[in-house]
Amino acid sequence: MRILVCGDVMGRSGRIAVATHVPRLRHELSLDFVVVNGENAAAGFGITDKLCAELYAAGTDVITTGNHAWDRREIIPYIDGDKRLLRPLNLPPGAPGAGGGVFATADGRRVLVLNPMARLFMDAIDCPFAAVERELAAQPLGDVHAVIIDFHGEATSEKMAMGHFADGRASLVEGTHSHVPTADAQILPKGTAYQTDAGMCGDYDSVIGMQKEAAVKRFLTKMPGERLQTADG
C-alpha cells in the first residue's frame, strides 16, 4: 500500500501546494491513501468546512488536526457530520467529532487513522498513550490493512516514545506540529515506519510558515504586536 502523509498545511500557500501536487502524486506514485494535517489551513489558525472540501477535492482522504482544531468556531457544529475530519483522539469525553476512524481505499482495503495529541508543553488533556492503546486493541493491524498515527506534539521525546510504543502495531507513526521536518525517518525494529515531524506544507521563507518580519519583531520586543499572518511565497 502506498500512503502519502502531508504535514501541517499553512494557509493559502500550503493549500495551493496540496491542490497542485497531491493530484499529480496520486497519479505518478499510484497512491492508495492520503492524509493531510489541516489544522492551520485557515490563514494559519484552524480549518473551515469550505477548506475541508478544498482539500478533499485535491485528493485528500483524511484530514487530521491538533491544538488549533477549534480555532474556527464554525467547525464545532460541522465536525460531527464529517467523519473524515479528525480532532485530537485524547480530548476529554464529550468533545465533538472523532479522533480516529477506519477508512476504505478505492480498492476496499481498510486503513485506521489515529490523531492523538501530546501533552508535554501542550494542553492538559487525557493520556495519548492510553487512547492509542484502546484503539489499537479494538482495530489491530491485521484486522485492518494499515494503521497511521499522526501524533501532534511539541516534544521530540514524547513523539519518539509513541513511535516505540506503537512499533510493530502501526504501519506509520509520524509527528506534526513543529512545522520543521526532522532528519530521522526510519524503520523501527519491529517494522513501523517513523519520523518525529513531517514538517509543513507552506512557505519555508518564513518563521514556521508565518511572515518572518512580524515574528522576528515579537522576539525582539516581547510585545504581542500585530496578528501574525501566513507567509505567501
Side-chain angles (χ1 to χ4, degrees):
M1 188 179 297
R2 295 187 175 191
I3 296 168
L4 171 67
V5 176
C6 298
D8 306 52
V9 173
M10 280 299 292
R12 180 180 296 275
S13 63
R15 301 196 312 268
I16 290 172
V18 169
T20 301
H21 297 293
V22 167
R24 175 181 60 80
L25 291 170
R26 286 205 79 125
H27 173 72
E28 292 180 1
L29 302 178
S30 300
L31 296 176
D32 298 295
F33 202 77
V34 177
V35 177
V36 172
N37 188 291
E39 71 149 13
N40 302 122
F45 301 95
I47 191 167
T48 67
D49 57 342
K50 292 181 180 179
L51 297 184
C52 288
E54 188 178 314
L55 294 175
Y56 295 143
T60 299
D61 293 297
V62 172
I63 300 170
T64 55
T65 59
N67 57 302
H68 291 289
W70 312 125
D71 283 6
R72 303 288 172 159
R73 299 303 171 89
E74 62 265 37
I75 209 67
I76 296 174
Y78 168 82
I79 195 169
D80 274 329
D82 184 351
K83 302 305 181 184
R84 296 198 288 166
L85 173 63
L86 303 182
R87 46 74 167 169
L89 175 68
N90 48 317
L91 291 179
V102 176
F103 306 91
T105 64
D107 62 4
R109 286 179 288 181
R110 301 167 72 239
V111 181
L112 173 65
V113 183
L114 302 178
N115 188 195
M117 189 163 72
R119 294 193 290 186
L120 286 176
F121 314 115
M122 302 285 285
D123 296 335
I125 54 176
D126 294 346
C127 177
F129 295 89
V132 168
E133 181 64 39
R134 287 192 296 269
E135 297 297 328
L136 293 181
Q139 297 279 357
L141 190 59
D143 287 1
V144 294
H145 297 88
V147 175
I148 302 168
I149 300 176
D150 176 359
F151 193 26
H152 197 80
E154 187 75 38
T156 54
S157 59
E158 193 173 8
K159 290 192 272 190
M160 286 182 178
M162 179 62 76
H164 290 290
F165 177 75
D167 188 16
R169 300 189 293 163
S171 311
L172 167 67
V173 176
E174 52 81 32
T176 52
H177 179 67
S178 80
H179 297 196
V180 178
T182 54
D184 64 342
Q186 61 188 284
I187 304 298
L188 296 176
K190 296 178 183 178
T192 293
Y194 174 81
Q195 185 176 10
T196 298
D197 205 291
M200 68 173 180
C201 299
D203 182 3
Y204 271 76
D205 184 20
S206 66
V207 174
I208 63 168
M210 294 297 186
Q211 293 178 8
K212 57 191 177 184
E213 294 81 8
V216 170
K217 185 177 180 181
R218 281 193 178 195
F219 284 104
L220 290 174
T221 65
K222 299 305 294 181
M223 298 296 291
E226 62 185 281
R227 180 181 173 88
L228 294 177
Q229 303 291 326
T230 51
D232 57 6

